[in-house]
Amino acid sequence: MGRAFEYRKAAKMKRWGAMSRIFPKLGKSITMAAKEGGSPDPDMNSKLRTAILNAKAQNMPKDNIDAAIKRAFEKNAADFKEITYDIKAPFGVQIIAECATDNNTRTVANVKAIVNKNGGEMLTSGSLSFMFTRKSLFTFDKTPDMDIEELELDLIDYGLESIEEDIEPQENGDDKAIVRIYGEFTSFGELSKALEERGIEVTKASLEYVANAPIDLTDEQMEKVDILIDKLEEDDDVQHVYTNIN
């Protein structure tokens, strides 16, 4: 399956061992979605529905999800803002760190310290905008009767750009066949509705930064860059880290 698969599998295993950090980040996403959407009801709030779906895909307990929703409407609820940082890493690696923070000063100081200590360089905001494209991404299990070519033709009118089959490592050690589809940034809602109407149960739905020209690294280079990526992901305010690594 290649080094890319093994790297992804190792990253997943590491993530499963760090749920104490992941759940608070998922909770923050849920709180923000509930507040921005103005409703604690996922049926009336599409952003919240997506945030809950992604939390469940990471096995976040229902009590944690409910608590995160409740926090959004408390009198003294934190006012989180989304902010992204553009980063130049060694070996031609480019990174976009997507953060959710209630204190910009703290967040930028922490991110800058991590980057500087690990061979990176902070770039002016927007510097990498032409190197990445914002895409709608949906992931779901591949069933035995699923016709990928037929599904591709069916979803093109809803903004589908590409579809791919893959193998996803599971926490129990097994590997599972999945389908991953990419669509235009503005087609998130249409694609989500189209998949729902076709009875396809999505396991992940997000808007991600996808590199326009991915690069390959050697194992040795990957190990060095991985340290920077890990440190960024460990920061409480960093929600997602996107790179141009293939």
Side-chain angles (χ1 to χ4, degrees):
M1 296 176 187
R3 189 178 67 83
F5 173 80
E6 293 304 325
Y7 169 71
R8 191 165 66 248
K9 186 169 185 174
K12 280 228 169 210
M13 294 300 289
K14 185 163 51 182
R15 192 176 304 123
W16 287 320
M19 285 302 179
S20 60
R21 291 199 307 271
I22 291 175
F23 287 166
K25 294 184 186 225
L26 291 169
K28 190 183 290 186
S29 293
I30 291 170
T31 299
M32 290 174 63
K35 192 170 184 178
E36 288 175 17
S39 172
D41 183 356
D43 290 332
M44 303 294 292
N45 185 339
S46 60
K47 283 188 175 181
L48 177 57
R49 187 164 62 249
T50 299
I52 292 174
L53 182 153
N54 290 327
K56 287 181 176 179
Q58 296 284 356
N59 298 316
M60 187 174 182
K62 185 179 183 301
D63 288 348
N64 295 45
I65 292 173
D66 292 342
I69 295 172
K70 184 179 179 181
R71 278 196 297 273
F73 301 99
E74 291 176 349
K75 185 177 180 180
N76 298 318
D79 186 20
F80 292 113
K81 302 293 184 183
E82 290 185 347
I83 186 169
T84 60
Y85 298 106
D86 293 10
I87 300 163
K88 177 183 176 183
F91 315 116
V93 173
Q94 299 159 347
I95 297 173
I96 292 180
E98 196 172 53
C99 305
T101 179
D102 58 350
N103 186 325
N104 287 352
T105 302
R106 177 196 66 222
T107 304
V108 70
N110 290 347
V111 170
K112 189 173 183 178
I114 292 169
V115 171
N116 290 343
K117 288 178 182 178
N118 292 279
E121 178 186 345
M122 296 287 284
L123 301 175
T124 304
S125 179
S127 297
L128 300 179
S129 59
F130 66 99
M131 302 299 294
F132 290 80
T133 302
R134 203 85 191 272
K135 301 282 188 182
S136 300
L137 170 63
F138 297 88
T139 303
F140 47 89
D141 295 347
K142 184 180 184 300
T143 59
D145 60 343
M146 186 175 289
D147 187 322
I148 299 300
E149 290 185 5
E150 182 180 323
L151 183 61
E152 181 177 17
L153 291 172
D154 196 21
L155 294 176
I156 284 177
D157 291 339
Y158 298 91
L160 174 73
E161 291 186 332
S162 64
I163 186 169
E164 60 184 39
E165 297 180 62
D166 202 356
I167 301 296
E168 187 87 343
Q170 301 300 298
E171 191 171 3
N172 62 8
D174 295 336
D175 297 326
K176 181 173 63 175
I178 64 164
V179 177
R180 194 179 290 116
I181 67 171
Y182 291 92
E184 299 170 10
F185 172 76
T186 55
S187 300
F188 185 89
E190 287 187 70
L191 279 169
S192 179
K193 185 178 180 181
L195 291 169
E196 186 177 340
E197 288 175 346
R198 284 154 183 76
I200 295 175
E201 187 174 345
V202 174
T203 56
K204 180 182 179 183
S206 60
L207 293 167
E208 302 202 354
Y209 290 94
V210 179
N212 296 329
I215 63 172
D216 292 310
L217 299 183
T218 66
D219 290 344
E220 184 178 351
Q221 290 172 333
M222 190 67 244
E223 286 179 11
K224 292 180 180 179
V225 175
D226 213 16
I227 295 173
L228 170 55
I229 294 172
D230 283 349
K231 293 298 182 183
L232 286 170
E233 290 183 334
E234 286 172 7
D235 187 271
D236 291 341
D237 293 335
V238 177
Q239 292 292 96
H240 305 285
V241 176
Y242 305 102
T243 78
N244 64 335
I245 301 172
N246 201 3

